[in-house]
Amino acid sequence: MPPQNLSRRAFVKAAGVLGVAAGMPLLCPPRTHAESLPLNPADEDDPNAATGKVVSQATTLRGLAGKKGLLLGTAFSNSALRRDPAYGEVIAREFNCLVAENIMKLNAIQRVRGEFDFTAADAMMAFAAKHDMQVRAVPLVWHDALPPWAKDLTFPRQEALAILRDHIFAMMTHFRSRVFAWDVLNEGLSDKGPGLREEGPWFHSIGPDYVEKIYHMAHEADPEAKLFYNDFDMDGMSKKADSCYLWIKELLARGVPIHGIGLQYHVRVDQHPSPTEVTENIRRFNDLGLIVHITELDVWLPTQATAEHLQQQAEVYRQVFETALAARNCPAVLLWGFTDRYSWVPGNTGGTFDHALIYDRDYRPKPAYAAIAAALR
Ligand code: G3I
């Protein structure tokens, strides 16, 4: 996993640069990752506050996205749903699509090798079905989120292939027709330059052809399924996006069944691709006949965020939605969570970045909410 993915290049520098906001008014005081706070009674008249009131579909993001035919999703956590009623209320009201933040990863599904535990993922599926939402699934194969038994780098090739085949078939059989798109491989490209990522057991035990093998397995497991490749730092016309484009083009030419590209879109508010280059990037993948999804959107602010940062963040969210809507084939935008109460960002950036989502920790919509609504109108 690239917890500091986009910041891997820039994180250390950023800590210094963005830290200069210290001393500015603190709009959103930093709190721990999963700290639970009571809802603010002052929000009761706010249609976007999590009061449980019925809100007109016409004014929710979900209602607006539906009119545009856009899938608008969020990463989902069962534990947040269990502990926090407002969490589920806001999701059901504002989104029409879910993706599991963690509960469909290998370390959640096969804590014990060969024992598939779908309990948490099934609970998410039930929530999605109850609220008439689509589900996107991520990821079938990743070098990260491995249970201890899978961290073994010495699997013989055939054994590693059998592990992946069993996992792919079990997942795609169990969730068949309940998932509309699968990230078969997540983050398979190197962060260090062209070529495949070499960390993790799959490249190590199988070799570079593990990529095509897993796409063929997934296609065999469910010939109807849409199969995606998902990665970070390739939202605009970056070197990584160029490598990805050429690599995927070559795989397609060899008949590997890939139907879509997921652009993760974890960006810093002061360092993100321009709409023009994102448009160009999406267009070239569309030209290969591929669908594009924005899969893990969040826009990081310095921990000491100001009102100006929130406006800048809103502008980035607006641009992303406008770009997706204008593209030929980018029918889904998923946020990597929606409330700063539950976001991976502060815990994974050493406390340097935070406030990456569209609701604050008390479920008050931020300017980004209105910006997305404006883009969807
Ligand atoms: O649930 C356990 C808890 O029981 C335990 O006490 C605690 C101790 O560390 O860990 C908890 O699990 C953590 C889990 O998040 C739930 O909070 C894991 O340690 C932690 O590694 C895991 O991090 C997730 C990370 O992927 C690795 O799987 C993040 O939440 C999740 O946001 C992040 O998502 C990734 C995408 O899958 C791929 N793209 C990048 C994105 C951000 O890194």
Side-chain angles (χ1 to χ4, degrees), residues 59-124:
T59 61
T60 63
L61 297 184
R62 179 176 181 156
L64 295 169
K67 281 194 198 147
K68 295 277 185 187
L70 182 76
L71 284 169
L72 171 58
T74 176
F76 176 89
S77 153
N78 260 352
S79 58
L81 182 72
R82 278 199 305 268
R83 85 168 80 121
D84 185 352
Y87 182 86
E89 286 166 19
V90 177
I91 289 186
R93 190 183 70 218
E94 301 290 342
F95 296 93
N96 57 22
C97 179
L98 292 180
V99 56
E101 183 168 2
N102 287 308
I103 56 181
M104 291 180 80
K105 293 173 178 172
L106 187 64
N107 61 357
I109 297 284
Q110 277 194 79
R111 279 184 296 275
V112 178
R113 183 171 171 180
E115 290 183 15
F116 293 84
D117 181 356
F118 299 118
T119 318
D122 280 342
M124 181 184 81

Side-chain angles (χ1 to χ4, degrees), residues 226-228 245 248-249 252-253 256-261 281-293 328-331:
K226 294 286 179 224
L227 308 179
F228 278 65
Y245 172 79
I248 296 286
K249 193 173 173 187
L252 290 171
V256 178
I258 299 177
H259 311 113
I261 295 294
N281 197 31
I282 294 175
R283 185 169 42 232
R284 66 176 166 175
F285 285 115
N286 283 168
D287 285 347
L288 292 179
L290 297 169
I291 313 160
V292 173
H293 291 166
R328 185 164 9 116
N329 195 357
C330 183

Side-chain angles (χ1 to χ4, degrees), residues 68-240:
K68 295 277 185 187
L70 182 76
L71 284 169
L72 171 58
T74 176
F76 176 89
S77 153
N78 260 352
S79 58
L81 182 72
R82 278 199 305 268
R83 85 168 80 121
D84 185 352
Y87 182 86
E89 286 166 19
V90 177
I91 289 186
R93 190 183 70 218
E94 301 290 342
F95 296 93
N96 57 22
C97 179
L98 292 180
V99 56
E101 183 168 2
N102 287 308
I103 56 181
M104 291 180 80
K105 293 173 178 172
L106 187 64
N107 61 357
I109 297 284
Q110 277 194 79
R111 279 184 296 275
V112 178
R113 183 171 171 180
E115 290 183 15
F116 293 84
D117 181 356
F118 299 118
T119 318
D122 280 342
M124 181 184 81
M125 296 290 166
F127 181 92
K130 180 174 172 194
H131 297 289
D132 197 20
M133 306 173 90
Q134 304 246 21
V135 176
R136 195 177 187 286
V138 39
L140 286 169
V141 179
W142 196 18
H143 67 282
D144 200 350
L146 299 167
W149 63 264
K151 289 182 180 162
D152 184 352
L153 294 180
T154 60
F155 292 122
R157 174 180 159 93
Q158 290 309 326
E159 186 178 349
L161 283 168
I163 291 168
L164 292 180
R165 186 178 177 85
D166 288 349
H167 186 70
I168 289 169
F169 271 74
M171 293 287 282
M172 295 186 79
T173 304
H174 186 81
F175 296 109
R176 184 186 282 263
S177 78
R178 293 188 285 171
V179 164
F180 79 98
W182 290 92
D183 286 336
V184 176
L185 178 59
N186 191 38
E187 300 169 6
L189 287 172
S190 170
D191 301 337
K192 299 174 192 107
L196 293 179
R197 179 188 295 282
E198 298 188 7
E199 303 100 284
W202 316 125
F203 179 93
H204 200 268
S205 304
I206 300 168
D209 67 336
Y210 89 96
V211 175
E212 47 201 274
K213 298 264 183 218
I214 59 178
Y215 280 92
H216 283 298
M217 287 173 193
H219 189 56
E220 190 187 333
D222 183 356
E224 303 300 318
K226 294 286 179 224
L227 308 179
F228 278 65
Y229 174 71
N230 190 51
D231 212 329
F232 62 93
D233 270 0
M234 51 174 229
D235 319 301
M237 298 294 283
S238 63
K239 281 190 183 152
K240 187 165 177 186

